[in-house]
């Protein structure tokens, strides 16, 4: 089974699926395969009833609706591949109703909570200066964490003060504020040269081992600073992106501008933030401490 799963994952790679998507698909499918292997069943021979049994198993395990829905989507994609390769007769997940996922309103930080977070890195250390730069760029641009850790040195234009963010066949130029630009210049000129182990390394942000930062690694860093700042909210890197969008709209930015900065292909994805502009997340802190 491993060979088939590996071939399926390779087919997704060829379609330029993101590393995070690939990891989720592989995890879901391996768990699915292992469940039936324990019953001496092969995935080529499974039926719709087997698929429903697996859904019931996930529910009994206490998995969330979003996890079950994602797992169903992964299995459905696998069986599309198997049917196309004539390794299975039907897509057993095609007509399975996964539990409905209720859309959770994103967590938004206030301006002063953002500022507390940005104050946490220890600037007497190389790691702290790197972390400060990454936080400043996340909040100044609203880019995704995968886009942040995928930035390369050639994606930075210090002269004109912007970064290039590439996703599949698209590229957007995102301007930096004064503070984020200043931090980035310091990092590139004084910090990064001391962190890299080889001149061949072109990734912009690297860990203390001289390797590319991972999503999990950055999530741990953010969690540490959240705890230091004593912020009583669940924070992920995406929380900063959500906060950026809402703060931009609250400060008068056009919805089209925010859509372009976030890289949303559909304005409907950006419109959800307009419903949050009345949240009590705007305070006077940024009036007195502008970041632009």
């Amino acid at each position: 089974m491993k060979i088939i799963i590996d071939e399926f994952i390779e087919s997704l790679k060829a379609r330029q699926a993101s590393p995070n998507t690939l990891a989720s698909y592989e995890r879901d499918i391996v768990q699915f395969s292992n469940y039936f292997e324990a019953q001496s069943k092969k995935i080529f021979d499974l039926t719709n009833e087997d698929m429903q049994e697996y859904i019931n198993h996930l529910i009994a395990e206490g998995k969330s609706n979003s996890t079950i829905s994602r797992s169903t989507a992964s299995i459905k994609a696998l069986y599309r591949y198997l049917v196309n390769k004539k390794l299975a007769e039907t897509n057993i997940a095609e007509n399975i109703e996964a539990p409905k996922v209720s859309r959770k309103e994103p967590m938004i930080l206030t301006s002063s909570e953002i500022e507390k977070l940005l104050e946490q890195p220890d600037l007497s250390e190389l790691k702290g200066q790197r972390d400060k730069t990454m936080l400043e760029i996340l909040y100044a641009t609203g880019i995704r964490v995968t886009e942040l850790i995928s930035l390369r040195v050639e994606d930075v234009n210090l002269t004109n003060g912007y970064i290039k963010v590439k996703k599949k066949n698209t590229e957007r130029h995102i301007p930096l504020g004064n503070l984020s630009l200043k931090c980035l210049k310091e990092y590139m000129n004084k910090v990064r040269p001391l962190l890299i182990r080889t001149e061949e390394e072109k990734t912009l942000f690297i860990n203390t081992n001289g390797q590319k930062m991972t999503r999990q690694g950055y999530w741990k860093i953010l969690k540490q600073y959240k705890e230091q700042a004593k912020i009583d909210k669940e924070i992920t890197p995406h929380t900063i992106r959500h906060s950026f969008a809402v703060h931009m709209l609250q400060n008068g930015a056009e919805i089209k501008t925010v859509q372009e900065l976030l890289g949303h292909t559909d304005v409907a994805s950006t419109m959800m933030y307009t419903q949050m502009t009345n949240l009590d997340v705007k305070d006077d802190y940024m009036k007195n401490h502008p970041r632009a």
Side-chain angles (χ1 to χ4, degrees):
M1 265 319 304
K2 185 177 185 310
I3 294 173
I4 294 294
I5 293 172
D6 287 346
E7 287 177 355
F8 170 63
I9 297 300
E10 285 300 317
S11 75
L12 295 178
K13 279 185 188 174
R15 285 156 52 194
Q16 298 184 311
S18 72
N20 194 36
T21 298
L22 293 172
S24 295
Y25 270 66
E26 186 166 14
R27 182 173 58 249
D28 292 338
I29 290 164
V30 167
Q31 288 173 353
F32 171 75
S33 176
N34 288 345
Y35 175 80
F36 286 106
E37 275 188 14
Q39 301 180 34
S40 300
K41 290 183 178 180
K42 295 182 179 178
I43 62 171
F44 313 111
D45 305 322
L46 299 180
T47 64
N48 295 72
E49 288 73 21
D50 290 316
M51 183 64 200
Q52 189 60 61
E53 176 193 324
Y54 185 66
I55 296 289
N56 294 340
H57 161 72
L58 294 178
I59 293 170
E61 288 273 298
K63 303 296 183 187
S64 68
N65 285 1
S66 59
T67 296
I68 297 171
S69 181
R70 190 203 65 223
S71 184
T72 303
S74 300
I75 297 164
K76 195 176 290 187
L78 169 68
Y79 273 89
R80 275 198 296 267
Y81 174 81
L82 294 177
V83 170
N84 187 49
K85 292 287 182 181
K86 302 196 183 321
L87 295 171
E89 289 187 10
T90 58
N91 189 334
I92 66 168
E94 194 63 56
N95 298 314
I96 293 293
E97 287 288 329
K100 295 210 180 311
V101 180
S102 56
R103 186 158 190 168
K104 213 162 80 169
E105 203 166 80
M107 180 66 68
I108 308 295
L109 300 179
T110 66
S111 300
S112 52
E113 284 171 335
I114 286 282
E115 193 65 20
K116 279 182 191 173
L117 202 59
L118 293 169
E119 288 172 350
Q120 296 312 307
D122 183 352
L123 300 184
S124 68
E125 298 179 350
L126 294 177
K127 176 184 177 299
Q129 292 178 65
R130 180 206 62 196
D131 294 349
K132 169 75 169 172
T133 304
M134 295 180 80
L135 282 169
E136 287 283 358
I137 288 177
L138 267 187
Y139 183 57
T141 64
I143 61 176
R144 302 170 180 88
V145 68
T146 49
E147 294 171 335
L148 179 73
I149 63 174
S150 297
L151 286 172
R152 295 174 65 80
V153 172
E154 68 257 27
D155 297 328
V156 177
N157 189 317
L158 293 177
T159 304
N160 295 315
Y162 69 82
I163 56 173
K164 283 189 294 187
V165 174
K166 302 163 189 170
K167 188 181 179 188
K168 293 188 179 177
N169 299 321
T170 64
E171 180 178 292
R172 62 192 197 275
H173 293 193
I174 306 180
L176 298 168
N178 291 337
L179 275 174
S180 56
L181 181 58
K182 181 185 175 190
C183 284
L184 187 53
K185 283 179 179 176
E186 290 281 316
Y187 168 76
M188 291 186 74
N189 293 330
K190 298 178 182 177
V191 178
R192 187 178 178 279
L194 299 176
L195 289 175
I196 59 173
R197 302 289 175 86
T198 169
E199 292 296 331
E200 279 69 49
E201 178 57 70
K202 298 302 178 186
T203 304
L204 182 60
F205 293 111
I206 52 181
N207 61 28
T208 50
N209 294 321
Q211 299 171 329
K212 178 183 174 180
M213 178 80 67
T214 64
R215 289 178 74 258
Q216 293 84 356
Y218 191 70
W219 189 89
K220 288 177 183 175
I221 289 169
L222 189 60
K223 186 178 180 185
Q224 172 198 334
Y225 291 138
K226 172 247 184 191
E227 289 170 355
Q228 283 180 203
K230 295 181 170 53
I231 297 173
D232 190 24
K233 288 179 180 176
E234 285 301 315
I235 299 177
T236 70
H238 230 62
T239 305
I240 300 177
R241 178 173 163 87
H242 294 320
S243 303
F244 160 84
V246 172
H247 294 175
M248 285 279 290
L249 291 168
Q250 286 180 325
N251 285 299
E254 297 288 336
I255 189 74
K256 186 71 176 170
T257 302
V258 177
Q259 178 193 356
E260 289 171 358
L261 291 172
L262 293 175
H264 286 159
T265 53
D266 185 353
V267 73
S269 300
T270 319
M271 287 297 293
M272 74 168 183
Y273 295 114
T274 62
Q275 299 164 22
M276 301 176 211
T277 53
N278 61 346
L279 294 175
D280 187 21
V281 296
K282 187 178 180 182
D283 49 40
D284 292 332
Y285 194 96
M286 290 302 176
K287 287 183 186 174
N288 303 318
H289 302 75
R291 313 200 69 77

